[in-house]
């Protein structure tokens, strides 16, 4: 029987980072304070979701969506707001140019899925699913950070493996193209997934779900220095940001 307990990429990723962090975040309901990068990512995702869900996909509408999605909280000061706002404008300018040149049909933006893995629920949201003129499907994950991942990192990305699984098992098609769209550079990096890689990813998710189900939250203190809870967690040996920086 399917367990109503949900697992997702974020939950798996948090658990793999440190099981105790999973407990703090999802059982004790501690919150990671929002910061400029996280907020900016949400704004751009929301802008593109709103833009692609409407009928009028003109340049003006895209920037109306940006205005609707924008929020000033979680930035440090007016100068930072100004810099991020302009960065977002530039990203969307470049995005719109590529969008106009593309012949693909955007089937879904921010498409939620609810799949079964073993006896568990696995949920997530795929940023975009396109259908190309030749009938092939492409799934896409947006990234808004400035860093462009190398091919190896994209090839090993667990989230994309989960998305492929969801496409096959929930939406009923195998994506022909799989990409991460690095919006800051308007660049896509393509990858592939074999059945073995998808099975391995799902096994990691099931194993994680089983560990969570038996409340195995042993701390992994090897990454405390980069953890959001490094100064508040009882298992962390770090007492100041300076100590953490020295450990990097
Ligand atoms: S500070 Fe260390 S032990 Fe505590 S949740 Fe973070 S990584 Fe885990």
């Amino acid at each position: 029987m399917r367990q109503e307990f949900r697992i997702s990429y974020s939950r798996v990723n948090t658990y793999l980072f440190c099981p105790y962090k999973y407990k703090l975040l999802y059982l004790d309901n501690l919150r990671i304070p929002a910061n400029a990068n996280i907020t900016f990512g949400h704004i751009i995702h929301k802008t593109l979701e709103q833009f692609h869900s409407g009928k009028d996909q003109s340049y003006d509408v895209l920037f109306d969506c940006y205005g609707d999605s924008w929020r000033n909280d979680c930035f440090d000061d007016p100068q930072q707001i100004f810099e991020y706002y302009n960065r977002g404008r530039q990203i969307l300018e470049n995005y719109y140019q590529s969008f106009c040149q593309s012949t693909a049909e955007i089937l879904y933006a921010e498409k939620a899925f609810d799949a079964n893995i073993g006896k568990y629920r696995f949920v997530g949201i795929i940023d975009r699913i396109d259908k190309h003129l030749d009938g092939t499907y492409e799934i896409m994950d947006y990234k808004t950070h400035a860093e462009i991942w190398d091919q190896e990192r994209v090839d090993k990305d667990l989230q994309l493996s989960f998305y492929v699984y969801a496409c096959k098992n929930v939406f009923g098609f195998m994506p022909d193209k799989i990409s991460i769209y690095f919006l800051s550079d308007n660049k896509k990096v393509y990858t592939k997934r074999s059945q073995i890689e998808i099975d391995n990813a799902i096994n990691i998710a099931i194993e994680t779900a089983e560990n969570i189900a038996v409340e195995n939250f042993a701390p992994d203190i090897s990454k405390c220095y980069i953890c959001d809870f490094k100064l508040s967690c009882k298992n962390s040996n770090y007492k100041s940001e300076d100590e953490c920086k020295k450990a990097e």
Side-chain angles (χ1 to χ4, degrees):
M1 194 173 108
R2 174 163 124 144
Q3 305 258 331
E4 280 315 298
F5 154 68
R6 286 178 308 155
I7 194 91
S8 65
Y9 166 70
S10 299
R11 286 176 181 242
V12 171
N13 198 37
T14 301
Y15 190 89
L16 295 178
F17 179 85
C18 168
Y20 196 76
K21 184 177 183 185
Y22 180 96
K23 177 184 177 300
L24 293 180
L25 207 49
Y26 294 106
L27 273 73
D28 299 347
N29 294 320
L30 296 193
R31 288 283 152 256
I32 296 170
N35 60 39
N37 276 331
I38 292 172
T39 304
F40 182 69
H42 288 158
I43 290 169
I44 297 295
H45 275 77
K46 195 170 162 206
T47 300
L48 295 178
E49 179 186 8
Q50 199 178 321
F51 175 61
H52 289 304
S53 60
K55 284 206 171 90
D56 181 355
Q57 298 196 319
S58 64
Y59 179 91
D60 288 345
V61 167
L62 175 61
F63 284 90
D64 285 347
C65 295
Y66 187 42
D68 290 347
S69 304
W70 187 264
R71 40 189 275 211
N72 285 337
D73 58 323
C74 305
F75 294 98
D76 291 343
D77 50 46
Q79 177 63 26
Q80 194 183 49
I81 291 171
F82 177 78
E83 286 168 8
Y84 270 91
Y85 186 80
N86 284 337
R87 190 173 138 205
R89 280 200 69 90
Q90 190 58 58
I91 282 175
L92 295 173
E93 293 271 358
N94 294 337
Y95 180 91
Y96 192 74
Q97 297 289 332
S98 299
F99 167 68
C100 289
Q101 286 162 15
S102 169
T103 53
E105 177 191 359
I106 297 176
L107 289 182
Y108 302 110
E110 303 290 322
K111 179 69 175 168
F113 64 82
D114 187 340
N116 293 321
I117 54 161
K119 61 184 180 186
Y120 300 102
R121 276 182 77 189
F122 190 91
V123 298
I125 297 174
I126 301 176
D127 286 338
R128 201 169 113 185
I129 302 176
D130 286 5
K131 187 173 184 185
H132 291 276
L133 286 178
D134 60 2
T136 56
Y137 291 94
E138 177 175 352
I139 57 169
M140 217 176 285
D141 186 43
Y142 298 141
K143 299 285 182 214
T144 54
H145 48 65
E147 180 197 2
I148 310 291
W149 293 355
D150 61 21
Q151 188 66 52
E152 188 184 355
R153 186 162 178 191
V154 174
D155 289 345
K156 289 188 173 161
D157 184 59
L158 204 53
Q159 189 172 23
L160 289 176
S161 301
F162 293 153
Y163 287 176
V164 175
Y165 175 86
C167 279
K168 189 177 169 197
N169 292 281
V170 181
F171 304 134
F173 69 89
M174 265 306 269
D176 306 279
K177 290 180 175 172
I178 307 162
S179 62
I180 295 188
Y181 193 159
F182 294 95
L183 294 165
S184 289
D185 226 36
N186 199 32
K187 180 183 173 185
K188 277 192 207 171
V189 177
Y190 288 91
T191 184
K192 290 186 165 69
R193 288 295 181 276
S194 66
Q195 191 55 50
I196 290 173
E197 288 168 323
I198 297 164
D199 291 346
N200 286 343
I202 294 306
N203 286 338
I204 289 171
I206 292 173
E207 195 181 321
T208 302
E210 282 172 350
N211 273 315
I212 292 167
V214 296
E215 301 189 1
N216 178 3
F217 300 123
D220 175 356
I221 58 169
S222 65
K223 285 171 274 179
C224 293
Y225 66 102
I226 48 168
C227 177
D228 299 294
F229 300 117
K230 56 185 174 267
L231 301 183
S232 57
C233 172
K234 68 176 185 183
N235 299 301
S236 169
N237 285 325
Y238 297 93
K239 303 287 172 245
S240 71
E241 290 288 352
D242 278 350
E243 283 181 20
C244 297
K245 283 202 179 91
K246 279 182 202 152
E248 283 179 25

